[in-house]
Amino acid sequence: MSKWENRAMGLVLWIILGWFFGLLANWIMGVKDRRSLIMTWLLGIAGALLGGFLGSAFGIANLSSPDLRSLLIAAGGSVVVLAAYRAVRGCSNST
C-alpha cells in the first residue's frame, strides 16, 4: 500500500473510533433525544480526529496505524470535545 492509502485507511479508522466513543458517551450520559445522539456522534468523530491530528503533530500518535496510545488519544479528544460542547450548550441555555 502507498503512503496515501495508509493515511486514508488510518483516517477512516479514526472516524470509526470517534463514532464509537460518541456512542459510548451517549450511553454513559443516558441521552435519549435523537438529535442529541447524532450531534454526540459527530462531536465524538471530531474529537477523535482532533486528538489524532494533534497527537500526530506532537509525535505521540500515528494516524496510519493506530495503537493503544492512539486509541487513548482518540478517546481523550472525544471526551474533551463533548465536554466542551456540553459546557457551551449549558451556558447558552441559561441565558
PDB file of all heavy atoms in Angstrom, residues 41-82:
ATOM      1  N   TRP A  41     -22.483  11.860  18.264  1.00  0.00           N
ATOM      2  CA  TRP A  41     -21.669  11.045  17.352  1.00  0.00           C
ATOM      3  C   TRP A  41     -20.735  11.924  16.541  1.00  0.00           C
ATOM      4  O   TRP A  41     -19.548  11.638  16.401  1.00  0.00           O
ATOM      5  CB  TRP A  41     -22.538  10.241  16.415  1.00  0.00           C
ATOM      6  CG  TRP A  41     -23.221   9.070  17.049  1.00  0.00           C
ATOM      7  CD1 TRP A  41     -22.975   8.536  18.276  1.00  0.00           C
ATOM      8  CD2 TRP A  41     -24.256   8.293  16.475  1.00  0.00           C
ATOM      9  NE1 TRP A  41     -23.809   7.473  18.492  1.00  0.00           N
ATOM     10  CE2 TRP A  41     -24.600   7.302  17.415  1.00  0.00           C
ATOM     11  CE3 TRP A  41     -24.949   8.345  15.278  1.00  0.00           C
ATOM     12  CZ2 TRP A  41     -25.593   6.356  17.175  1.00  0.00           C
ATOM     13  CZ3 TRP A  41     -25.922   7.396  15.036  1.00  0.00           C
ATOM     14  CH2 TRP A  41     -26.232   6.420  15.977  1.00  0.00           C
ATOM     15  N   LEU A  42     -21.286  13.011  15.989  1.00  0.00           N
ATOM     16  CA  LEU A  42     -20.460  13.909  15.174  1.00  0.00           C
ATOM     17  C   LEU A  42     -19.350  14.556  16.013  1.00  0.00           C
ATOM     18  O   LEU A  42     -18.216  14.684  15.555  1.00  0.00           O
ATOM     19  CB  LEU A  42     -21.329  14.981  14.518  1.00  0.00           C
ATOM     20  CG  LEU A  42     -22.298  14.472  13.450  1.00  0.00           C
ATOM     21  CD1 LEU A  42     -23.205  15.607  12.985  1.00  0.00           C
ATOM     22  CD2 LEU A  42     -21.559  13.856  12.281  1.00  0.00           C
ATOM     23  N   LEU A  43     -19.687  14.949  17.227  1.00  0.00           N
ATOM     24  CA  LEU A  43     -18.677  15.544  18.108  1.00  0.00           C
ATOM     25  C   LEU A  43     -17.639  14.506  18.539  1.00  0.00           C
ATOM     26  O   LEU A  43     -16.458  14.828  18.679  1.00  0.00           O
ATOM     27  CB  LEU A  43     -19.345  16.171  19.332  1.00  0.00           C
ATOM     28  CG  LEU A  43     -20.158  17.427  19.041  1.00  0.00           C
ATOM     29  CD1 LEU A  43     -20.976  17.812  20.258  1.00  0.00           C
ATOM     30  CD2 LEU A  43     -19.266  18.557  18.602  1.00  0.00           C
ATOM     31  N   GLY A  44     -18.066  13.270  18.725  1.00  0.00           N
ATOM     32  CA  GLY A  44     -17.124  12.200  19.039  1.00  0.00           C
ATOM     33  C   GLY A  44     -16.143  11.974  17.902  1.00  0.00           C
ATOM     34  O   GLY A  44     -14.934  11.813  18.118  1.00  0.00           O
ATOM     35  N   ILE A  45     -16.647  11.990  16.677  1.00  0.00           N
ATOM     36  CA  ILE A  45     -15.785  11.852  15.496  1.00  0.00           C
ATOM     37  C   ILE A  45     -14.826  13.027  15.407  1.00  0.00           C
ATOM     38  O   ILE A  45     -13.620  12.849  15.202  1.00  0.00           O
ATOM     39  CB  ILE A  45     -16.639  11.722  14.217  1.00  0.00           C
ATOM     40  CG1 ILE A  45     -17.384  10.381  14.220  1.00  0.00           C
ATOM     41  CG2 ILE A  45     -15.777  11.858  12.967  1.00  0.00           C
ATOM     42  CD1 ILE A  45     -18.440  10.257  13.129  1.00  0.00           C
ATOM     43  N   ALA A  46     -15.351  14.240  15.588  1.00  0.00           N
ATOM     44  CA  ALA A  46     -14.495  15.434  15.530  1.00  0.00           C
ATOM     45  C   ALA A  46     -13.425  15.388  16.616  1.00  0.00           C
ATOM     46  O   ALA A  46     -12.263  15.723  16.366  1.00  0.00           O
ATOM     47  CB  ALA A  46     -15.348  16.697  15.676  1.00  0.00           C
ATOM     48  N   GLY A  47     -13.793  14.958  17.799  1.00  0.00           N
ATOM     49  CA  GLY A  47     -12.835  14.877  18.894  1.00  0.00           C
ATOM     50  C   GLY A  47     -11.743  13.851  18.642  1.00  0.00           C
ATOM     51  O   GLY A  47     -10.567  14.094  18.904  1.00  0.00           O
ATOM     52  N   ALA A  48     -12.123  12.700  18.117  1.00  0.00           N
ATOM     53  CA  ALA A  48     -11.133  11.667  17.811  1.00  0.00           C
ATOM     54  C   ALA A  48     -10.179  12.143  16.722  1.00  0.00           C
ATOM     55  O   ALA A  48      -8.965  11.934  16.805  1.00  0.00           O
ATOM     56  CB  ALA A  48     -11.823  10.381  17.388  1.00  0.00           C
ATOM     57  N   LEU A  49     -10.726  12.788  15.694  1.00  0.00           N
ATOM     58  CA  LEU A  49      -9.868  13.309  14.627  1.00  0.00           C
ATOM     59  C   LEU A  49      -8.950  14.404  15.154  1.00  0.00           C
ATOM     60  O   LEU A  49      -7.758  14.437  14.826  1.00  0.00           O
ATOM     61  CB  LEU A  49     -10.713  13.826  13.461  1.00  0.00           C
ATOM     62  CG  LEU A  49     -11.421  12.756  12.648  1.00  0.00           C
ATOM     63  CD1 LEU A  49     -12.360  13.403  11.625  1.00  0.00           C
ATOM     64  CD2 LEU A  49     -10.431  11.845  11.951  1.00  0.00           C
ATOM     65  N   LEU A  50      -9.498  15.287  15.973  1.00  0.00           N
ATOM     66  CA  LEU A  50      -8.678  16.349  16.565  1.00  0.00           C
ATOM     67  C   LEU A  50      -7.561  15.757  17.416  1.00  0.00           C
ATOM     68  O   LEU A  50      -6.395  16.146  17.296  1.00  0.00           O
ATOM     69  CB  LEU A  50      -9.546  17.285  17.401  1.00  0.00           C
ATOM     70  CG  LEU A  50      -8.816  18.411  18.123  1.00  0.00           C
ATOM     71  CD1 LEU A  50      -8.226  19.389  17.111  1.00  0.00           C
ATOM     72  CD2 LEU A  50      -9.755  19.133  19.074  1.00  0.00           C
ATOM     73  N   GLY A  51      -7.914  14.804  18.263  1.00  0.00           N
ATOM     74  CA  GLY A  51      -6.904  14.137  19.079  1.00  0.00           C
ATOM     75  C   GLY A  51      -5.870  13.424  18.230  1.00  0.00           C
ATOM     76  O   GLY A  51      -4.671  13.472  18.512  1.00  0.00           O
ATOM     77  N   GLY A  52      -6.324  12.790  17.166  1.00  0.00           N
ATOM     78  CA  GLY A  52      -5.403  12.089  16.271  1.00  0.00           C
ATOM     79  C   GLY A  52      -4.449  13.022  15.563  1.00  0.00           C
ATOM     80  O   GLY A  52      -3.243  12.758  15.482  1.00  0.00           O
ATOM     81  N   PHE A  53      -4.971  14.124  15.056  1.00  0.00           N
ATOM     82  CA  PHE A  53      -4.114  15.074  14.354  1.00  0.00           C
ATOM     83  C   PHE A  53      -3.136  15.767  15.302  1.00  0.00           C
ATOM     84  O   PHE A  53      -1.967  15.943  14.973  1.00  0.00           O
ATOM     85  CB  PHE A  53      -4.944  16.108  13.594  1.00  0.00           C
ATOM     86  CG  PHE A  53      -5.564  15.564  12.342  1.00  0.00           C
ATOM     87  CD1 PHE A  53      -6.929  15.563  12.176  1.00  0.00           C
ATOM     88  CD2 PHE A  53      -4.781  15.032  11.323  1.00  0.00           C
ATOM     89  CE1 PHE A  53      -7.512  15.053  11.029  1.00  0.00           C
ATOM     90  CE2 PHE A  53      -5.335  14.525  10.171  1.00  0.00           C
ATOM     91  CZ  PHE A  53      -6.717  14.531  10.028  1.00  0.00           C
ATOM     92  N   LEU A  54      -3.615  16.140  16.481  1.00  0.00           N
ATOM     93  CA  LEU A  54      -2.714  16.768  17.449  1.00  0.00           C
ATOM     94  C   LEU A  54      -1.665  15.776  17.945  1.00  0.00           C
ATOM     95  O   LEU A  54      -0.493  16.120  18.075  1.00  0.00           O
ATOM     96  CB  LEU A  54      -3.503  17.340  18.631  1.00  0.00           C
ATOM     97  CG  LEU A  54      -4.336  18.578  18.342  1.00  0.00           C
ATOM     98  CD1 LEU A  54      -5.148  18.979  19.568  1.00  0.00           C
ATOM     99  CD2 LEU A  54      -3.459  19.728  17.880  1.00  0.00           C
ATOM    100  N   GLY A  55      -2.100  14.555  18.214  1.00  0.00           N
ATOM    101  CA  GLY A  55      -1.152  13.528  18.632  1.00  0.00           C
ATOM    102  C   GLY A  55      -0.119  13.234  17.563  1.00  0.00           C
ATOM    103  O   GLY A  55       1.070  13.042  17.851  1.00  0.00           O
ATOM    104  N   SER A  56      -0.540  13.230  16.324  1.00  0.00           N
ATOM    105  CA  SER A  56       0.384  13.009  15.213  1.00  0.00           C
ATOM    106  C   SER A  56       1.347  14.177  15.067  1.00  0.00           C
ATOM    107  O   SER A  56       2.538  13.987  14.822  1.00  0.00           O
ATOM    108  CB  SER A  56      -0.411  12.806  13.923  1.00  0.00           C
ATOM    109  OG  SER A  56       0.446  12.588  12.845  1.00  0.00           O
ATOM    110  N   ALA A  57       0.838  15.390  15.249  1.00  0.00           N
ATOM    111  CA  ALA A  57       1.689  16.576  15.137  1.00  0.00           C
ATOM    112  C   ALA A  57       2.767  16.599  16.215  1.00  0.00           C
ATOM    113  O   ALA A  57       3.889  17.053  15.975  1.00  0.00           O
ATOM    114  CB  ALA A  57       0.836  17.842  15.219  1.00  0.00           C
ATOM    115  N   PHE A  58       2.429  16.104  17.407  1.00  0.00           N
ATOM    116  CA  PHE A  58       3.394  16.065  18.507  1.00  0.00           C
ATOM    117  C   PHE A  58       4.195  14.772  18.546  1.00  0.00           C
ATOM    118  O   PHE A  58       5.021  14.574  19.431  1.00  0.00           O
ATOM    119  CB  PHE A  58       2.698  16.292  19.850  1.00  0.00           C
ATOM    120  CG  PHE A  58       2.205  17.694  20.036  1.00  0.00           C
ATOM    121  CD1 PHE A  58       0.850  17.968  20.112  1.00  0.00           C
ATOM    122  CD2 PHE A  58       3.095  18.751  20.128  1.00  0.00           C
ATOM    123  CE1 PHE A  58       0.380  19.268  20.282  1.00  0.00           C
ATOM    124  CE2 PHE A  58       2.647  20.052  20.296  1.00  0.00           C
ATOM    125  CZ  PHE A  58       1.290  20.305  20.372  1.00  0.00           C
ATOM    126  N   GLY A  59       3.909  13.879  17.613  1.00  0.00           N
ATOM    127  CA  GLY A  59       4.668  12.638  17.514  1.00  0.00           C
ATOM    128  C   GLY A  59       4.314  11.586  18.541  1.00  0.00           C
ATOM    129  O   GLY A  59       5.088  10.666  18.781  1.00  0.00           O
ATOM    130  N   ILE A  60       3.136  11.688  19.150  1.00  0.00           N
ATOM    131  CA  ILE A  60       2.756  10.689  20.143  1.00  0.00           C
ATOM    132  C   ILE A  60       1.652   9.760  19.643  1.00  0.00           C
ATOM    133  O   ILE A  60       1.253   8.843  20.351  1.00  0.00           O
ATOM    134  CB  ILE A  60       2.325  11.354  21.468  1.00  0.00           C
ATOM    135  CG1 ILE A  60       1.199  12.350  21.250  1.00  0.00           C
ATOM    136  CG2 ILE A  60       3.504  12.002  22.154  1.00  0.00           C
ATOM    137  CD1 ILE A  60       0.643  12.939  22.523  1.00  0.00           C
ATOM    138  N   ALA A  61       1.140   9.984  18.442  1.00  0.00           N
ATOM    139  CA  ALA A  61       0.123   9.113  17.847  1.00  0.00           C
ATOM    140  C   ALA A  61       0.472   8.896  16.385  1.00  0.00           C
ATOM    141  O   ALA A  61       1.198   9.684  15.787  1.00  0.00           O
ATOM    142  CB  ALA A  61      -1.262   9.743  17.967  1.00  0.00           C
ATOM    143  N   ASN A  62      -0.076   7.847  15.834  1.00  0.00           N
ATOM    144  CA  ASN A  62       0.184   7.525  14.439  1.00  0.00           C
ATOM    145  C   ASN A  62      -1.147   7.388  13.721  1.00  0.00           C
ATOM    146  O   ASN A  62      -1.928   6.490  14.020  1.00  0.00           O
ATOM    147  CB  ASN A  62       0.991   6.226  14.354  1.00  0.00           C
ATOM    148  CG  ASN A  62       1.452   5.917  12.963  1.00  0.00           C
ATOM    149  OD1 ASN A  62       1.131   6.626  12.023  1.00  0.00           O
ATOM    150  ND2 ASN A  62       2.204   4.848  12.831  1.00  0.00           N
ATOM    151  N   LEU A  63      -1.401   8.269  12.775  1.00  0.00           N
ATOM    152  CA  LEU A  63      -2.671   8.235  12.065  1.00  0.00           C
ATOM    153  C   LEU A  63      -2.811   7.032  11.142  1.00  0.00           C
ATOM    154  O   LEU A  63      -3.902   6.567  10.893  1.00  0.00           O
ATOM    155  CB  LEU A  63      -2.852   9.517  11.238  1.00  0.00           C
ATOM    156  CG  LEU A  63      -3.231  10.763  12.012  1.00  0.00           C
ATOM    157  CD1 LEU A  63      -3.336  11.944  11.069  1.00  0.00           C
ATOM    158  CD2 LEU A  63      -4.536  10.576  12.740  1.00  0.00           C
ATOM    159  N   SER A  64      -1.722   6.525  10.626  1.00  0.00           N
ATOM    160  CA  SER A  64      -1.823   5.446   9.644  1.00  0.00           C
ATOM    161  C   SER A  64      -2.000   4.070  10.271  1.00  0.00           C
ATOM    162  O   SER A  64      -2.567   3.188   9.663  1.00  0.00           O
ATOM    163  CB  SER A  64      -0.619   5.451   8.710  1.00  0.00           C
ATOM    164  OG  SER A  64       0.566   5.308   9.452  1.00  0.00           O
ATOM    165  N   SER A  65      -1.535   3.868  11.485  1.00  0.00           N
ATOM    166  CA  SER A  65      -1.723   2.569  12.145  1.00  0.00           C
ATOM    167  C   SER A  65      -1.898   2.778  13.648  1.00  0.00           C
ATOM    168  O   SER A  65      -0.944   2.733  14.413  1.00  0.00           O
ATOM    169  CB  SER A  65      -0.530   1.654  11.876  1.00  0.00           C
ATOM    170  OG  SER A  65       0.647   2.243  12.358  1.00  0.00           O
ATOM    171  N   PRO A  66      -3.142   3.030  14.068  1.00  0.00           N
ATOM    172  CA  PRO A  66      -3.400   3.312  15.475  1.00  0.00           C
ATOM    173  C   PRO A  66      -2.992   2.154  16.394  1.00  0.00           C
ATOM    174  O   PRO A  66      -3.167   0.991  16.074  1.00  0.00           O
ATOM    175  CB  PRO A  66      -4.907   3.535  15.530  1.00  0.00           C
ATOM    176  CG  PRO A  66      -5.288   3.910  14.146  1.00  0.00           C
ATOM    177  CD  PRO A  66      -4.341   3.168  13.257  1.00  0.00           C
ATOM    178  N   ASP A  67      -2.449   2.487  17.538  1.00  0.00           N
ATOM    179  CA  ASP A  67      -2.099   1.532  18.569  1.00  0.00           C
ATOM    180  C   ASP A  67      -2.860   1.913  19.839  1.00  0.00           C
ATOM    181  O   ASP A  67      -3.754   2.757  19.792  1.00  0.00           O
ATOM    182  CB  ASP A  67      -0.587   1.498  18.795  1.00  0.00           C
ATOM    183  CG  ASP A  67      -0.011   2.880  19.097  1.00  0.00           C
ATOM    184  OD1 ASP A  67      -0.787   3.857  19.153  1.00  0.00           O
ATOM    185  OD2 ASP A  67       1.208   2.980  19.281  1.00  0.00           O
ATOM    186  N   LEU A  68      -2.522   1.317  20.971  1.00  0.00           N
ATOM    187  CA  LEU A  68      -3.233   1.597  22.208  1.00  0.00           C
ATOM    188  C   LEU A  68      -3.122   3.071  22.611  1.00  0.00           C
ATOM    189  O   LEU A  68      -4.106   3.692  23.019  1.00  0.00           O
ATOM    190  CB  LEU A  68      -2.714   0.707  23.346  1.00  0.00           C
ATOM    191  CG  LEU A  68      -3.382   0.900  24.700  1.00  0.00           C
ATOM    192  CD1 LEU A  68      -4.866   0.598  24.603  1.00  0.00           C
ATOM    193  CD2 LEU A  68      -2.730   0.025  25.742  1.00  0.00           C
ATOM    194  N   ARG A  69      -1.945   3.647  22.441  1.00  0.00           N
ATOM    195  CA  ARG A  69      -1.756   5.062  22.775  1.00  0.00           C
ATOM    196  C   ARG A  69      -2.658   5.933  21.895  1.00  0.00           C
ATOM    197  O   ARG A  69      -3.285   6.870  22.378  1.00  0.00           O
ATOM    198  CB  ARG A  69      -0.291   5.434  22.575  1.00  0.00           C
ATOM    199  CG  ARG A  69       0.035   6.817  23.006  1.00  0.00           C
ATOM    200  CD  ARG A  69       1.493   7.141  22.905  1.00  0.00           C
ATOM    201  NE  ARG A  69       2.282   6.086  22.269  1.00  0.00           N
ATOM    202  CZ  ARG A  69       3.548   6.170  21.979  1.00  0.00           C
ATOM    203  NH1 ARG A  69       4.203   7.257  22.275  1.00  0.00           N
ATOM    204  NH2 ARG A  69       4.197   5.196  21.406  1.00  0.00           N
ATOM    205  N   SER A  70      -2.732   5.616  20.617  1.00  0.00           N
ATOM    206  CA  SER A  70      -3.589   6.374  19.707  1.00  0.00           C
ATOM    207  C   SER A  70      -5.053   6.215  20.073  1.00  0.00           C
ATOM    208  O   SER A  70      -5.839   7.155  19.971  1.00  0.00           O
ATOM    209  CB  SER A  70      -3.363   5.910  18.267  1.00  0.00           C
ATOM    210  OG  SER A  70      -2.035   6.098  17.896  1.00  0.00           O
ATOM    211  N   LEU A  71      -5.432   5.023  20.500  1.00  0.00           N
ATOM    212  CA  LEU A  71      -6.800   4.769  20.932  1.00  0.00           C
ATOM    213  C   LEU A  71      -7.149   5.638  22.136  1.00  0.00           C
ATOM    214  O   LEU A  71      -8.222   6.249  22.191  1.00  0.00           O
ATOM    215  CB  LEU A  71      -6.966   3.292  21.278  1.00  0.00           C
ATOM    216  CG  LEU A  71      -8.342   2.837  21.720  1.00  0.00           C
ATOM    217  CD1 LEU A  71      -9.327   2.903  20.570  1.00  0.00           C
ATOM    218  CD2 LEU A  71      -8.269   1.433  22.261  1.00  0.00           C
ATOM    219  N   LEU A  72      -6.239   5.730  23.077  1.00  0.00           N
ATOM    220  CA  LEU A  72      -6.461   6.571  24.259  1.00  0.00           C
ATOM    221  C   LEU A  72      -6.529   8.053  23.889  1.00  0.00           C
ATOM    222  O   LEU A  72      -7.320   8.808  24.464  1.00  0.00           O
ATOM    223  CB  LEU A  72      -5.368   6.325  25.289  1.00  0.00           C
ATOM    224  CG  LEU A  72      -5.363   4.927  25.918  1.00  0.00           C
ATOM    225  CD1 LEU A  72      -4.148   4.756  26.813  1.00  0.00           C
ATOM    226  CD2 LEU A  72      -6.644   4.656  26.672  1.00  0.00           C
ATOM    227  N   ILE A  73      -5.721   8.463  22.917  1.00  0.00           N
ATOM    228  CA  ILE A  73      -5.758   9.854  22.464  1.00  0.00           C
ATOM    229  C   ILE A  73      -7.086  10.158  21.778  1.00  0.00           C
ATOM    230  O   ILE A  73      -7.681  11.222  21.984  1.00  0.00           O
ATOM    231  CB  ILE A  73      -4.559  10.161  21.547  1.00  0.00           C
ATOM    232  CG1 ILE A  73      -3.272  10.151  22.378  1.00  0.00           C
ATOM    233  CG2 ILE A  73      -4.736  11.483  20.813  1.00  0.00           C
ATOM    234  CD1 ILE A  73      -2.013  10.209  21.563  1.00  0.00           C
ATOM    235  N   ALA A  74      -7.580   9.215  20.982  1.00  0.00           N
ATOM    236  CA  ALA A  74      -8.880   9.390  20.332  1.00  0.00           C
ATOM    237  C   ALA A  74      -9.981   9.508  21.377  1.00  0.00           C
ATOM    238  O   ALA A  74     -10.865  10.367  21.269  1.00  0.00           O
ATOM    239  CB  ALA A  74      -9.164   8.227  19.390  1.00  0.00           C
ATOM    240  N   ALA A  75      -9.928   8.664  22.390  1.00  0.00           N
ATOM    241  CA  ALA A  75     -10.928   8.731  23.463  1.00  0.00           C
ATOM    242  C   ALA A  75     -10.844  10.063  24.194  1.00  0.00           C
ATOM    243  O   ALA A  75     -11.859  10.711  24.456  1.00  0.00           O
ATOM    244  CB  ALA A  75     -10.713   7.577  24.443  1.00  0.00           C
ATOM    245  N   GLY A  76      -9.633  10.487  24.507  1.00  0.00           N
ATOM    246  CA  GLY A  76      -9.450  11.764  25.191  1.00  0.00           C
ATOM    247  C   GLY A  76      -9.947  12.947  24.374  1.00  0.00           C
ATOM    248  O   GLY A  76     -10.608  13.845  24.899  1.00  0.00           O
ATOM    249  N   GLY A  77      -9.636  12.944  23.091  1.00  0.00           N
ATOM    250  CA  GLY A  77     -10.114  14.019  22.211  1.00  0.00           C
ATOM    251  C   GLY A  77     -11.627  14.059  22.151  1.00  0.00           C
ATOM    252  O   GLY A  77     -12.240  15.136  22.192  1.00  0.00           O
ATOM    253  N   SER A  78     -12.251  12.892  22.072  1.00  0.00           N
ATOM    254  CA  SER A  78     -13.713  12.831  22.039  1.00  0.00           C
ATOM    255  C   SER A  78     -14.320  13.360  23.330  1.00  0.00           C
ATOM    256  O   SER A  78     -15.277  14.136  23.303  1.00  0.00           O
ATOM    257  CB  SER A  78     -14.172  11.389  21.818  1.00  0.00           C
ATOM    258  OG  SER A  78     -13.777  10.931  20.561  1.00  0.00           O
ATOM    259  N   VAL A  79     -13.764  12.969  24.445  1.00  0.00           N
ATOM    260  CA  VAL A  79     -14.268  13.423  25.745  1.00  0.00           C
ATOM    261  C   VAL A  79     -14.128  14.937  25.878  1.00  0.00           C
ATOM    262  O   VAL A  79     -15.055  15.620  26.321  1.00  0.00           O
ATOM    263  CB  VAL A  79     -13.544  12.688  26.893  1.00  0.00           C
ATOM    264  CG1 VAL A  79     -13.829  13.336  28.231  1.00  0.00           C
ATOM    265  CG2 VAL A  79     -13.936  11.225  26.909  1.00  0.00           C
ATOM    266  N   VAL A  80     -12.978  15.464  25.478  1.00  0.00           N
ATOM    267  CA  VAL A  80     -12.747  16.910  25.590  1.00  0.00           C
ATOM    268  C   VAL A  80     -13.732  17.692  24.725  1.00  0.00           C
ATOM    269  O   VAL A  80     -14.351  18.662  25.181  1.00  0.00           O
ATOM    270  CB  VAL A  80     -11.287  17.262  25.226  1.00  0.00           C
ATOM    271  CG1 VAL A  80     -11.100  18.755  25.034  1.00  0.00           C
ATOM    272  CG2 VAL A  80     -10.339  16.739  26.285  1.00  0.00           C
ATOM    273  N   VAL A  81     -13.914  17.274  23.481  1.00  0.00           N
ATOM    274  CA  VAL A  81     -14.831  17.989  22.585  1.00  0.00           C
ATOM    275  C   VAL A  81     -16.272  17.867  23.079  1.00  0.00           C
ATOM    276  O   VAL A  81     -17.022  18.847  23.088  1.00  0.00           O
ATOM    277  CB  VAL A  81     -14.686  17.487  21.128  1.00  0.00           C
ATOM    278  CG1 VAL A  81     -15.790  18.010  20.248  1.00  0.00           C
ATOM    279  CG2 VAL A  81     -13.336  17.897  20.569  1.00  0.00           C
ATOM    280  N   LEU A  82     -16.676  16.683  23.506  1.00  0.00           N
ATOM    281  CA  LEU A  82     -18.041  16.504  24.022  1.00  0.00           C
ATOM    282  C   LEU A  82     -18.277  17.331  25.284  1.00  0.00           C
ATOM    283  O   LEU A  82     -19.323  17.951  25.436  1.00  0.00           O
ATOM    284  CB  LEU A  82     -18.312  15.029  24.294  1.00  0.00           C
ATOM    285  CG  LEU A  82     -18.494  14.157  23.062  1.00  0.00           C
ATOM    286  CD1 LEU A  82     -18.441  12.687  23.451  1.00  0.00           C
ATOM    287  CD2 LEU A  82     -19.784  14.473  22.352  1.00  0.00           C
TER     288      LEU A  82
END
